[in-house]
Amino acid sequence: MTHFQLDTNALDPGQRIAEFEAACAQVCQLMVAPTGEDFASRTSIALIGQAVFADTSHSACVTSRTLALAAGTGDNILLHIPFSGGFTIRQRGGNEQACAVGSIYLDPTGEPGVARFEGQGAHAFYLSLPRALLAPAGDRLALRAQIALTPQWRLMLAYARAIHAEATHLSASDLEQCCTHLQDLVMLAIGADRETEQIARGRGARVARLRAIRADIERHLTSPDLSSGWIAGRHGISPRYLRALFADEGTSFTDYVLSRRLMLACRRLSDPMQHGLPVSRIAAEAGFGDLSWFNQRFRQAFGQTPTETRNLALQRLRDGGQGSV
């Protein structure tokens, strides 16, 4: 895995544009021509296996892929997904497309073309995948055109951005598995054949759905409404399917929520800034209505009582303070 940044702010001001243009030509196979003063751009790129992930923000410019540069890109499909700003693009063999937020432009990288970014700035996510990885589903894509960012594509996008953000913290085997899930989600969004779709639903879709559910649990961790039925309803699935998702991970919805609430309480008890709060209040605010049950489960999880956890954190703070004098 390779991860790097292209940031104009990190370049020599006197040579900033020239150095940035050279880097883009080498790394992104693009020529970049700023169209306004004080051009700025920041791109984070991750190369994982045969996939390329990029999150980029930049001011007004024109980008072009010449025949020579297109020849060096390989037979890839590049997804342009704008978050703000939008752009117009025209590639050889296609019509000009005005791409706005809520759409995806499907770019066969082997074709030359020109894109124009205007206004105050643009922010977009790019995902490049070898066409062979998507066969035969990729044959259904109308290239040099745009499609709507459907719920299925949004699910794929959220997972791709998560891989990009966490790439430096994952092992090679984990990244390989993540890319398999991502490939499944792309094919699912395209609308693959029945056999491929079943595989995708069994891998990528389940992983991405569970990730979304866990994020939702985290946002509502202390809510009294948090329950398996409530979460299942929010995500449009049955409680039985929700239980199956957590069972595949070797746990249950109840145990997962309990562990997250216990971790929240432990963090607060270990925070010296909150040492004046009663244990009962911290337990209640973490979602525990029964203090004795909280004490019992906390000790089972951490091998000590809530009060012992707090006292140990305060002792470490005092010991550290004394050691620094």
Side-chain angles (χ1 to χ4, degrees):
M1 193 278 293
T2 302
H3 197 286
F4 54 93
Q5 306 277 345
L6 287 177
D7 189 347
T8 53
N9 291 326
L11 302 176
D12 177 7
Q15 302 293 325
R16 179 175 296 164
I17 301 303
E19 289 183 9
F20 183 77
E21 290 176 341
C24 285
Q26 180 179 359
V27 176
C28 306
Q29 304 298 310
L30 285 174
M31 301 297 294
V32 179
T35 56
E37 298 180 356
D38 300 322
F39 176 75
S41 178
R42 186 175 189 277
T43 300
S44 173
I45 300 173
L47 307 178
I48 306 173
Q50 300 180 71
V52 182
F53 303 71
D55 190 295
T56 183
S57 299
H58 55 80
S59 48
C61 65
V62 175
T63 66
S64 58
R65 185 187 300 132
T66 64
L67 277 169
L69 290 174
T73 64
D75 189 17
N76 279 25
I77 296 176
L78 175 63
L79 308 180
H80 300 240
I81 309 174
F83 296 143
S84 64
F87 60 96
T88 59
I89 186 170
R90 181 167 187 167
Q91 287 183 273
R92 185 178 64 177
N95 298 319
E96 184 172 88
Q97 300 284 322
C99 304
V101 176
S103 66
I104 303 175
Y105 179 77
L106 302 171
D107 174 356
T109 59
E111 296 293 345
V114 177
R116 300 180 183 277
F117 299 84
E118 300 178 351
Q120 296 300 313
H123 178 203
F125 189 84
Y126 297 90
L127 175 63
S128 180
L129 295 170
R131 196 189 304 236
L133 289 182
L134 304 179
D139 296 338
R140 302 184 184 188
L141 292 173
L143 302 180
R144 307 175 194 83
Q146 55 185 316
I147 57 176
L149 188 62
T150 63
Q152 291 82 4
W153 281 111
R154 288 198 297 270
L155 189 65
M156 182 285 303
L157 174 60
Y159 193 64
R161 296 187 76 186
I163 295 174
H164 179 259
E166 302 297 338
T168 57
H169 306 294
L170 296 171
S171 67
S173 59
D174 286 340
L175 286 171
E176 182 180 357
Q177 187 174 18
C178 286
C179 285
T180 298
H181 295 153
L182 181 65
Q183 178 186 350
D184 291 337
L185 287 172
V186 172
M187 290 192 290
L188 185 62
I190 293 171
D193 60 84
R194 182 174 178 83
E195 181 180 357
T196 304
E197 183 174 350
Q198 288 175 342
I199 295 173
R201 288 187 183 277
R203 294 193 311 218
R206 288 172 73 92
V207 170
R209 188 182 292 278
L210 184 58
R211 181 179 179 275
I213 288 171
R214 284 174 168 170
D216 203 17
I217 289 172
E218 209 66 28
R219 287 191 295 269
H220 299 92
L221 191 57
T222 62
S223 171
D225 295 327
L226 184 58
S227 67
S228 60
W230 186 75
I231 284 289
R234 285 173 58 83
H235 290 262
I237 60 176
S238 68
R240 180 178 180 179
Y241 183 60
L242 179 71
R243 291 193 295 271
L245 288 174
F246 281 95
D248 286 345
E249 300 294 306
T251 186
S252 67
F253 173 85
T254 300
D255 286 345
Y256 179 78
V257 172
L258 173 63
S259 67
R260 299 306 302 157
R261 285 177 167 174
L262 286 170
M263 286 299 300
L264 173 61
C266 186
R267 287 197 302 270
R268 295 191 64 186
L269 288 166
S270 301
D271 183 358
M273 298 297 293
Q274 301 189 48
H275 74 275
L277 293 179
V279 171
S280 59
R281 177 176 169 180
I282 289 178
E285 291 180 350
F288 295 92
D290 187 322
L291 182 59
S292 62
W293 187 74
F294 165 72
N295 288 332
Q296 176 186 347
R297 297 311 297 262
F298 191 95
R299 186 162 191 166
Q300 289 176 352
F302 302 108
Q304 56 193 21
T305 67
T307 299
E308 289 170 342
T309 295
R310 166 173 281 171
N311 291 340
L312 184 60
L314 291 173
Q315 184 62 47
R316 284 198 296 265
L317 179 64
R318 285 194 291 268
D319 291 345
Q322 290 171 357
S324 63
V325 174

